[in-house]
């Protein structure tokens, strides 16, 4: 029985991570799901939020925005629209994006503008949450 599984996180621009890990928690569109070694195969759409994985007993965080997760044969492949390791997140940029999204939301003239501003706000908040969780876990160097 395997004690680890391979986690690969890929965006259209780059491979963000390829590492053997002990556990993965990911933001599915229906809620967070967890994967341990020898998990049954499945496919899930991803929402906006924080993927985290455990390696050596420590938690590490990656911001994810949309995409898909495929689980099978002790491998989890994350095909994400956007993925950033916590260490890559610029917290000042995320705060500015949050302020801008709140201003856009306040001025929204229709449902489309409102939905776009709400999505931008959700991404900014999730980025800040990811950075914060990583700092609390002491894993910003990874």
């Amino acid at each position: 029985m395997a004690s680890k599984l391979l986690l690969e996180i890929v965006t259209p621009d780059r491979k963000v991570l390829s590492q053997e890990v002990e556990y993965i928690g990911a933001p599915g569109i229906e809620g967070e799901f967890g994967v341990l070694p020898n998990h049954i195969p499945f496919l899930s759409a991803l929402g906006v939020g924080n993927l985290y994985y455990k390696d050596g007993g420590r938690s590490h965080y990656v911001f994810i925005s949309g995409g898909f997760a495929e689980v099978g044969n002790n491998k989890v492949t994350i095909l994400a629209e956007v993925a950033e390791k916590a260490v890559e997140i610029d917290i000042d940029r995320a705060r500015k994006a949050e302020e801008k999204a709140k201003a856009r939301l306040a001025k929204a003239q229709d449902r489309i503008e409102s939905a776009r501003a709400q999505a931008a706000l959700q991404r900014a908040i999730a980025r800040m949450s990811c950075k914060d969780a990583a700092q609390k876990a002491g894993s910003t160097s990874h």
Side-chain angles (χ1 to χ4, degrees):
M1 201 171 228
S3 63
K4 290 198 172 189
L5 58 154
L6 179 62
L7 170 60
E8 290 194 336
I9 302 174
V10 181
T11 69
D13 301 329
R14 66 189 177 116
K15 183 182 281 190
V16 176
L17 183 77
S18 180
Q19 182 174 334
E20 285 197 340
V21 302
E22 299 156 356
Y23 174 81
I24 300 159
I29 59 168
E30 297 292 325
E32 185 176 308
F33 62 86
V35 180
L36 288 165
N38 302 307
H39 200 287
I40 62 168
F42 76 92
L43 182 65
S44 176
L46 297 171
V48 173
N50 300 323
L51 176 144
Y52 69 98
Y53 60 95
K54 292 192 178 196
D55 182 40
R58 293 187 61 181
S59 295
H60 304 275
Y61 295 83
V62 180
F63 165 75
I64 298 288
S65 180
F68 295 92
E70 180 181 25
V71 177
N73 296 325
N74 283 319
K75 181 178 180 182
V76 176
T77 303
I78 304 291
L79 304 171
E81 293 171 24
V82 177
E84 298 172 40
K85 293 179 185 177
V87 70
E88 300 169 338
I89 295 171
D90 180 339
I91 200 73
D92 290 330
R93 182 173 163 242
R95 282 190 188 111
K96 288 176 186 170
E98 178 188 29
E99 291 169 13
K100 184 177 176 182
K102 285 179 178 178
R104 285 177 52 205
L105 193 56
K107 295 180 195 173
Q109 299 292 318
D110 58 37
R111 290 187 322 187
I112 294 172
E113 285 180 44
S114 181
R116 287 181 179 155
Q118 189 64 40
L121 180 60
Q122 183 182 13
R123 288 189 303 271
I125 291 170
R127 276 188 175 96
M128 290 185 293
S129 169
C130 182
K131 187 78 166 189
D132 184 54
Q135 288 173 335
K136 286 178 181 172
S139 67
T140 56
S141 63
H142 191 55

